Structures are given as C-alpha cells and as structure tokens.
Amino acid sequence: MTSHYESRPGFFRRHRLGEALLALTLGASTLGGLALAAPAAADGPGSGTPWVVTVGDSYISGEAGRWAGSSNNSETPADALGSTAYFDNASNTAEQIPRCHRSKADEAYIGGGVNGMDLACSGARTTTFTDSDGYFKPGLDFADNGAGQQGQARMLQTFATGHNVKMVVVGIGGNDFNFGSIVQQCVQDFLASPSWAPDYCDDDSSVTSNFTSANVSAIQSRIVTGLQNVRTGMRNAGYADGSWTMLVQTYPSPIPPSSAFRYSQTGYTRQSTGGCGFWNKDADWANTSALATINATVRNAVAASGVTGVRTLELASALNGRRLCENTVGLYEEKGLSSWTQPGAVDQTEWVNQIRTVSTAGSDYYIQESLHPNYWAQMALRSCVRQAYNAGMPRGGTCSIAGTGLVAGEPRMTLQ
C-alpha cells in the first residue's frame, strides 16, 4: 500500500516530518544384485522440499522491512537489514520488480525445512496496473505483457509448476480501498487545521466514497476473483485443491486509538516528532471503522470465493502495544537506546514505520515505507505464519504478542 501527498507551504522549514506518505529423495532399485540410483524426481506438485509462497500487497511483501523501530537522529540505530534489504534477484544486486520491496524479513521465510518465496508487491491491488510513477504493480491475476511483466497468479503458476508449494499466504484488498490516499487525507487534515478547529478526514468525501455499500461490494467481488485466480494458478500448475492450503491474512492496526498516543494532538509534535499525524477522532475512526470494514470485506470475500480449505490469519490486533506512536514504546532516543541489537529493543521500539516525507531525499528512507509493519513486525508475522503452517497441517487463528524478548531472533507471538 503506497501513496504520497503535499502538505501546506512552509511546513518543512519548521518540522522534519510533514508530507506523507504512502505512496501500503532419491530412490534406489536393484538389478542383478547391483544398487542403481533411480532418477531424482523433479520438484513440483507433491514432490521435493515444501514451500510457502506469499502474494498480495505491501503489508505482506515486506515493505519497511529494513527498519527495526525509528529514530529522528540517525538511521543507524534502526537499520536492521541494510542497503540490500529489498534485493531479491539471483545475484542479490537489485529488485526483480522495482519498488515491490520484497524484504528479506518477509513472513514467507519460516525455515524448519520449509523454503519461502515472496511474490507480493508493494502497492499492488487485486488487478495488475502501472502506477503514476511508472512502476509496474502485479495483481492477483494472469496479466502478461510478453515482456516479462506478469500478474502474481501467473507468477505463482509458473513457480508452483517446478516447486512443491504447500501453502500460499494472501494479503490483498487495502489498496483497492485506496488505503494510501485515505492516510494522506487524514495527515493533510491534521497539518492544515488547528487543534481548536480540527478538520477531520472521516467525513471527507474523498475518504467516505471508499466505504459506500456499493464500493465495498465491488471490492469484495474483486478480492473474490483474486482468490479464485490463486486457486486457478495452482490448478494450472497441477495441484489438486486439497493438496495445498490458502492462508488469507487480515490487516493489522498500525496506529493506536486516541487514548494510547504518547504525543498530544495539540501542536505538531504528533507528526513532527512521532510521524503519526492523525487527530484523535480520526485515529479512533481508522481503527473501529476503516480497518474493521477492510478486514470484514476480506473475510466476506473468503466466504464468497468458493475456494475450499481456506484458513484465515487474523492480524488486526497483532501489533497492539508496539504500534506507531503508542505510549508503550518510543523512538530510540526516547528510550535511551542506540541500536536495534540491544537487549529489549524489540519491546521498547515501534513495530510500524513513521509517516515520512519528501525530506527523506538524501536519506535511505522511502516515503512508501510509511505506516508499514517494519522489521520487528515482519519477524513477528513470520512466527504467526510458521504457527499457521503447523508442520504441514495448516490452521488459522488470531495471532498476538505473547511476551517480551526474542526467540530465535523473532518476537514472541501466539496463534490462538
């Protein structure tokens, strides 16, 4: 989920942050008493090392996975993966699809004898398109321009033909609701109006038009088609419906409700320091209405898709307690920490990236990383996916934080 916008004139001269965003097996036989090695079975449906594949948008591609927490003083404390964080070509020198931002922290890489493949793309919708900046965004379809640009269902089909795919994790729908534009409008309204006369985004026509009954119904239909396309891709690759599992995940809450912000809505500190410029009322609306509607639409699409055996991974509250600007965590400088590798950093710093600005020019930050689950969150969600994979017997459930500290480099999570 990605987008970007312009804030009011002069703001950058006064604040570091002001314009957002978001542009989201071998066998053997015997003959004549001699043991002869049989040909190795080619990897494919039901044969070879099992794989987990992720498809969808930025909340599953790994957007913002480079950063573990935030600092306004320096990039260094939070730089967990470095400059190659999003490189996914064979030589680890570039992205296969520019700006898909498939992070090395992606949740597909659950380990334990299971390989992972990330086919998702930041900014993706249910259908393939090219964005206003000229970046190709593959959807959950079979688009193919003959020049190497394909939809994710087509990519999945090709990959699954030669690999033993046991679970496909899907995260899609947020960009069909224009998630980035909604966030953009909310932050604009926060920056452009004073606290004694706030201009809220929850009643702006550019926002409410995304949540009309007709639009919600249309988006549900598009998600249904996307899920069915994933099934078709697997069928075309030679898989029986019961031989693999689709795991569909909902979206986590990235910002807290009004009562849990650590910065006042008075003044501009909430955005200039925290990078979370939402009015209290809009933050509450975002959690109780917007997010709830998006996630309900995803669930309803699963039910309407007719795809059998789908499991649902509920993530709405998975980041609670570690969200952007939440009063239970802080910036590195606020917590007296100097590195993401310090003991306790995972529990004291944010799991969601700040809403950053055009002032990122000359830095290693991307505006499109704004308001996305960062390294900590992605490692946590990886734990959720591993628990959902359940040693090859996939299950759904609600994933949440289970304690403090790290286990094998991942936050403690539980799937119930």
Side-chain angles (χ1 to χ4, degrees):
M1 301 194 269
T2 57
S3 185
H4 35 106
Y5 71 88
E6 296 181 1
S7 66
R8 58 192 177 88
F11 185 77
F12 293 114
R13 292 194 298 270
R14 298 171 53 204
H15 301 284
R16 298 184 53 162
L17 306 170
E19 169 189 319
L21 167 65
L22 283 187
L24 220 149
T25 55
L26 292 175
S29 63
T30 59
L31 180 63
L34 297 177
L36 301 177
D43 281 5
S47 178
T49 302
W51 288 77
V52 169
V53 179
T54 49
V55 296
D57 60 29
S58 56
Y59 265 60
I60 195 171
S61 75
E63 182 68 84
R66 177 174 181 174
W67 310 103
S70 295
S71 170
N72 290 336
N73 293 340
S74 170
E75 298 174 0
T76 303
D79 195 356
L81 294 181
S83 60
T84 65
Y86 305 124
F87 290 174
D88 65 336
N89 66 1
S91 59
N92 195 43
T93 56
E95 292 187 83
Q96 293 189 61
I97 304 176
R99 295 296 181 90
C100 274
H101 281 189
R102 296 165 173 167
S103 166
K104 290 179 172 64
D106 182 75
E107 58 196 68
Y109 309 128
I110 65 174
V114 181
N115 289 339
M117 172 56 68
D118 183 3
L119 298 179
C121 187
S122 181
R125 300 173 189 159
T126 48
T127 55
T128 295
F129 72 105
T130 299
D131 72 13
S132 59
D133 294 319
Y135 292 108
F136 175 69
K137 301 298 178 184
L140 298 189
D141 57 24
F142 295 92
D144 190 340
N145 67 358
Q149 292 183 328
Q150 299 178 333
Q152 292 181 49
R154 183 69 180 84
M155 288 188 278
L156 172 65
Q157 177 179 315
T158 300
F159 183 82
T161 300
H163 300 84
N164 184 20
V165 175
K166 302 305 293 183
M167 190 166 78
V168 180
V169 191
V170 184
I172 199 70
N175 289 324
D176 291 82
F177 276 97
N178 292 313
F179 171 84
S181 295
I182 292 170
V183 173
Q184 155 188 328
Q185 188 63 53
C186 292
V187 178
Q188 276 184 325
D189 287 354
F190 176 81
L191 296 175
S193 59
S195 57
W196 60 88
D199 179 13
Y200 299 119
C201 67
D202 68 345
D203 58 359
D204 290 349
S205 60
S206 63
V207 172
T208 58
S209 62
N210 295 290
F211 298 100
T212 64
S213 296
N215 196 54
V216 170
S217 179
I219 292 172
Q220 179 179 315
S221 295
R222 294 201 293 268
I223 297 174
V224 164
T225 300
L227 299 181
Q228 292 171 340
N229 285 343
V230 170
R231 179 183 61 186
T232 298
M234 292 295 285
R235 286 176 172 176
N236 291 346
Y239 290 77
D241 289 351
S243 66
W244 65 285
T245 300
M246 182 186 296
L247 179 71
V248 178
Q249 64 184 43
T250 57
Y251 291 92
S253 166
I255 59 171
S258 59
S259 60
F261 274 88
R262 67 176 183 269
Y263 306 108
S264 170
Q265 68 173 349
T266 302
Y268 293 103
T269 305
R270 185 169 286 186
Q271 176 60 28
S272 63
T273 300
C276 53
F278 274 67
W279 293 114
N280 286 341
K281 184 173 182 289
D282 286 336
D284 289 338
W285 167 83
N287 278 292
T288 61
S289 182
L291 181 68
T293 299
I294 293 171
N295 282 343
T297 305
V298 171
R299 295 186 200 101
N300 291 338
V302 169
S305 69
V307 179
T308 58
V310 178
R311 308 293 192 272
T312 303
L313 182 59
E314 295 287 354
L315 298 178
S317 60
L319 310 184
N320 288 10
R322 308 286 192 276
R323 290 171 290 187
L324 181 62
C325 293
E326 200 156 9
N327 56 21
T328 48
V329 286
L331 303 175
Y332 277 87
E333 53 269 30
E334 291 172 341
K335 293 297 182 179
L337 296 170
S338 59
S339 173
W340 69 278
T341 62
Q342 287 177 264
V346 65
D347 305 311
Q348 298 180 63
T349 60
E350 297 160 320
W351 290 11
V352 176
N353 251 37
Q354 290 177 316
I355 299 170
R356 292 190 179 272
T357 73
V358 291
S359 61
T360 58
S363 77
D364 291 317
Y365 296 114
Y366 291 89
I367 291 175
Q368 72 181 63
E369 293 171 326
S370 300
L371 211 65
H372 282 80
N374 64 21
Y375 175 85
W376 293 133
Q378 289 176 33
M379 297 298 281
L381 298 180
R382 181 186 295 181
S383 174
C384 297
V385 171
R386 182 184 302 108
Q387 293 177 62
Y389 183 75
N390 194 32
M393 299 292 289
R395 64 190 182 97
T398 298
C399 205
S400 58
I401 297 172
T404 59
L406 298 168
V407 179
E410 296 173 353
R412 297 178 188 272
M413 305 295 291
T414 185
L415 181 66
Q416 297 178 329

